[in-house]
Amino acid sequence: MSTPVWLTIALPLAGAAILLLGGRRTNGWGHLLGCVAAVASFVVGAVLFADMLSRDAEHRSVHESLFSWVPVGGLQVDFGLQLDQLSMCFVLLITGVGSLIHIYSVGYMAADPERRKFFAYLNLFLAAMLLLVLADNYLGLYVGWEGVGLASYLLIGFWAHKPTAATAAKKAFIVNRVGDMGLAIAMMVMFVHIGSVSFEGVFGAAPQLGEATLTAIGLLLLLAACGKSAQVPLQSWLGDAMEGPTPVSALIHAATMVTAGVYLIVRSGPVFDLAPSAQLGVVIVGAVTLMFGAVVGCAKDDIKKALAASTMSQIGYMVLAAGLGPVGYAFAIMHLLTHGFFKAGLFLGAGSVMHAMNDEVDMRRYGGLRTALPITFATFGLGYLAIIGVPPLAGFFSKDGIIEAALGAGGAKGIILGGAAILGAGITAFYMTRVMLMTFFGEKRWAPDTHPHEAPAVMTWPMILLAIGSVGSGAAFAIGGTLQHWLEPVVGAHEIHHVAPVWVITTVILAVVAVGILIAYRMYATRPVPEEAPAGSALTVAARNDLYGDAFNEEMFMRPGQLAAKRLVEIDDEAVDRTVSGIASLTAVTSQRIRLAQNGFARSYALTMFSGAVLLAAAILMVRAW
């Protein structure tokens, strides 16, 4: 293979370095360089993909060992890259959707004085995410993992002059650090029990490890995934992250960041397959989060926060599928890829609406925008139909596959997981129909000084391309089992156990989706939308407050943590400091007393020597006599 894999990472990394080190001298053309670096990385990825297609399935995996990285005692780690069928899916998603977001950002950030820095951070985000998915060991993955966290912090807080943006960036950074500890400790456990952190070494040794050790590693990796992918209980940062510029939201939710946790679980499949308890933890987290995000999305009036809750829920579907093992891995990745198209399109569409509405995000002040923004309406509408699973759009194939796999788990487990997934589909249809109706239909509720207008072509063309992906990607991946066969050498293969004919399951799902649409239509199309949100039920209030996720974390973790820190300070002050001070005081007093014997008089020294000699002689005589 003539094209090196490392080039996909090097190009956006070089772009970031030039823009950051070049400073203001690059302001005039920095945004263009950022786009060129992203597109060039996509071209390299496409060339690598074509080369991979030219080889047999068994010989498609490529390893590059660049240099000896950590040659320390028993830990030998090379800086190596691995390009296989799984990582290739992510390379094309990250660089392809990422490039469209870069191009869109040229128009969206046109008036921002720090646009050059924004594109540098976007390039850094792509480079870190590419390293994460291309590393052939957990340590390299961890470097990309932390790089993604850094880039998200810089981009969420890009408008740091806004206190809310600065706070959201810190919150995302801190919450993710909690999850990152899981990955760090998991690597320590791997080294202690296996002596390696490479994928090959860990997966090869996994069958010889005890179930307790594998379960510990699996649960620690799950904790890490919860942080990056905003899964319960580390989901609280995702809604606040909407304080960043809208292209950042699209990048985080569609091509980078939140997809990292799903990749980690699927890549670590050989560990989870041998640890049923950890695998059960994965499906529980996925099922709880898909419902959690769906309920929150029903009550959000901020268009970006409604979409953020949607992402949390859709990632929950992917995590649920990944927790089902080989039967679900391919469907988790399929939904991740289709979600990349329609969620990026939805966020960029939301940015187009904000661009037209003077940065207003409250959907209660929208209405009737379909005529003023025809392209945005069409592309956003296709993304809406895709995410709710209307056939034959992308979400229909990927989400239905997950639901079928969940039902196929059998017994009470299949009923609970499948039921949650079907109910989640109905709720998704409700809140996404609510977003469509409040934004594009009904009476105009604009502010008097608002004059909506369609976005420029540099913003609409990426939206159109993403809409095309939202329509056709699901069929391309699903028909004939294309994606399943593609991923089979990496994640294995397993047939779904169908508890009923596929057409019956599909009919039930579509019926539930239709009920969700009808309820939303009745609530938001047949009656006026009030400018102020009504009080609502206790559940509505809870959903508006993110089901009290922050309050829970505050009461369960922050306040006990503060109390524990206070008690430790008191122990340090009362016990440790007093002990140290007491020893110091005793030493000082003792030295003061001893120094009195050093008076400088020869007669005193002679008397001391004589007394010592007498005592020594007496001791010798007593010993001899005894």
Side-chain angles (χ1 to χ4, degrees):
M1 185 183 64
S2 57
T3 305
V5 176
W6 59 263
L7 198 56
T8 58
I9 304 171
L11 288 168
L13 187 61
I18 293 170
L19 295 178
L20 291 174
L21 298 177
R24 295 179 180 177
R25 290 171 293 181
T26 64
N27 279 354
W29 45 269
H31 58 289
L32 299 178
L33 175 63
C35 291
V36 168
V39 173
S41 183
F42 172 70
V43 171
V44 171
V47 171
L48 291 170
F49 177 59
D51 180 74
M52 185 176 284
L53 287 175
S54 68
R55 287 179 273 120
D56 295 335
E58 308 83 50
H59 302 98
R60 284 175 174 168
S61 180
V62 176
H63 285 79
E64 286 184 4
S65 182
L66 302 182
F67 53 85
S68 179
W69 187 19
V70 185
V72 181
L75 181 62
Q76 302 290 322
V77 182
D78 289 340
F79 195 96
L81 303 178
Q82 172 179 302
L83 182 66
D84 58 16
Q85 290 89 333
L86 176 60
S87 51
M88 177 55 77
C89 291
F90 281 83
V91 167
L92 295 177
L93 175 70
I94 295 163
T95 58
V97 174
S99 295
L100 294 177
I101 293 171
H102 274 69
I103 295 168
Y104 175 95
S105 300
V106 172
Y108 191 88
M109 301 294 288
D112 196 292
E114 297 288 343
R115 180 168 65 167
R116 177 263 314 169
K117 187 182 294 184
F118 180 79
F119 276 86
Y121 294 160
L122 288 184
N123 274 190
L124 179 62
F125 215 152
L126 291 194
M129 189 67 190
L130 286 167
L131 174 59
L132 190 158
V133 301
L134 285 171
D136 69 351
N137 61 81
Y138 283 100
L139 189 58
L141 183 151
Y142 186 76
V143 174
W145 193 269
E146 294 301 322
V148 167
L150 171 63
S152 67
Y153 169 77
L154 295 172
L155 285 167
I156 293 169
F158 186 75
W159 289 326
H161 59 275
K162 296 165 54 181
T164 51
T167 300
K170 289 187 289 185
K171 183 176 181 180
F173 191 81
I174 292 169
V175 173
N176 271 273
R177 296 292 72 71
V178 176
D180 295 352
M181 287 302 297
L183 181 53
I185 297 172
M187 287 192 293
M188 297 176 194
V189 176
M190 293 173 191
F191 174 62
V192 169
H193 290 274
I194 301 172
S196 173
V197 293
S198 70
F199 294 150
E200 183 179 4
V202 172
F203 301 157
Q208 284 75 49
L209 295 180
E211 187 174 327
T213 302
L214 290 169
T215 299
I217 294 174
L219 292 177
L220 289 166
L221 294 177
L222 174 59
L223 177 63
C226 286
K228 277 292 181 287
S229 292
Q231 299 292 282
V232 172
L234 299 179
Q235 81 292 341
S236 61
W237 65 271
L238 192 62
D240 292 352
M242 297 305 97
E243 291 293 337
T246 301
V248 175
S249 303
L251 195 61
I252 288 175
H253 289 250
T256 61
M257 192 73 172
V258 296
T259 62
V262 180
Y263 170 79
L264 179 63
I265 295 172
V266 174
R267 175 62 76 186
S268 304
V271 173
F272 285 98
D273 293 342
L274 297 171
S277 297
Q279 209 167 50
L280 178 61
V282 174
V283 295
I284 291 173
V285 166
V288 170
T289 307
L290 78 86
M291 292 300 299
F292 189 106
V295 171
V296 170
C298 293
K300 293 296 184 182
D301 293 330
D302 182 319
I303 187 171
K304 288 177 66 178
K305 290 191 175 182
L307 294 177
S310 167
T311 297
M312 189 189 308
S313 180
Q314 298 306 306
I315 298 292
Y317 273 100
M318 301 172 206
V319 172
L320 168 61
L324 295 173
V327 71
Y329 290 144
F331 290 109
I333 299 303
M334 185 190 300
H335 197 51
L336 186 149
L337 296 174
T338 59
H339 180 265
F341 285 109
F342 57 68
K343 184 52 61 70
L346 289 169
F347 265 110
L348 296 189
S352 179
V353 171
M354 292 168 58
H355 180 269
M357 299 294 288
N358 300 330
D359 289 329
E360 177 62 67
V361 295
D362 189 347
M363 294 185 292
R364 294 185 180 277
R365 291 170 174 79
Y366 291 166
L369 288 174
R370 68 184 185 282
T371 55
L373 309 174
I375 298 176
T376 301
F377 167 65
T379 56
F380 195 98
L382 290 172
Y384 152 73
L385 294 174
I387 193 173
I388 67 174
V390 171
L393 278 75
F396 166 74
F397 293 97
S398 57
K399 191 183 295 184
D400 277 29
I402 293 174
I403 294 173
E404 291 170 17
L407 290 170
K413 180 180 178 182
I415 294 173
I416 294 171
L417 296 179
I422 293 173
L423 180 58
I427 301 175
T428 301
F430 170 81
Y431 68 71
M432 285 306 303
T433 303
R434 176 179 181 268
V435 170
M436 281 295 296
L437 293 174
M438 292 180 70
T439 303
F440 295 103
F441 294 88
E443 296 297 324
K444 300 174 182 179
R445 304 180 298 277
W446 314 336
D449 60 340
T450 302
H451 304 286
H453 55 282
E454 189 61 87
V458 72
M459 294 171 64
T460 55
W461 272 107
M463 292 158 55
I464 292 171
L465 293 175
L466 290 168
I468 293 172
S470 300
V471 173
S473 61
F477 296 144
I479 295 177
T482 303
L483 187 64
Q484 288 176 279
H485 295 316
W486 172 257
L487 292 173
E488 186 174 333
V490 181
V491 303
H494 196 285
E495 292 295 326
I496 295 177
H497 171 68
H498 292 287
V499 296
V502 174
W503 69 267
V504 173
I505 298 174
T506 300
T507 301
V508 171
I509 296 170
L510 291 178
V512 173
V513 168
V515 170
I517 294 172
L518 291 173
I519 294 174
Y521 182 85
R522 183 173 178 273
M523 292 178 64
Y524 295 96
T526 61
R527 62 188 74 171
V529 176
E531 292 188 8
E532 298 297 329
S537 63
L539 179 59
T540 301
V541 174
R544 287 173 184 160
N545 289 280
D546 299 324
L547 296 180
Y548 303 115
D550 285 335
F552 176 82
N553 289 337
E554 182 176 338
E555 292 299 324
M556 294 299 295
F557 301 109
M558 190 196 81
R559 294 194 183 282
Q562 287 179 325
L563 182 61
K566 182 180 179 182
R567 294 291 179 262
L568 289 173
V569 169
E570 291 174 353
I571 292 172
D572 183 67
D573 290 341
E574 297 297 325
V576 178
D577 283 358
R578 288 197 175 190
T579 300
V580 173
S581 299
I583 293 172
S585 299
L586 178 62
T587 303
V589 171
T590 303
S591 64
Q592 288 290 340
R593 295 292 182 268
I594 294 175
R595 70 187 293 271
L596 295 178
Q598 304 295 322
N599 53 24
F601 293 112
R603 61 180 179 272
S604 297
Y605 299 155
L607 179 61
T608 301
M609 294 170 65
F610 177 74
S611 300
V614 169
L615 291 173
L616 181 60
I620 293 172
L621 291 172
M622 288 177 64
V623 170
R624 286 183 175 180
W626 182 76

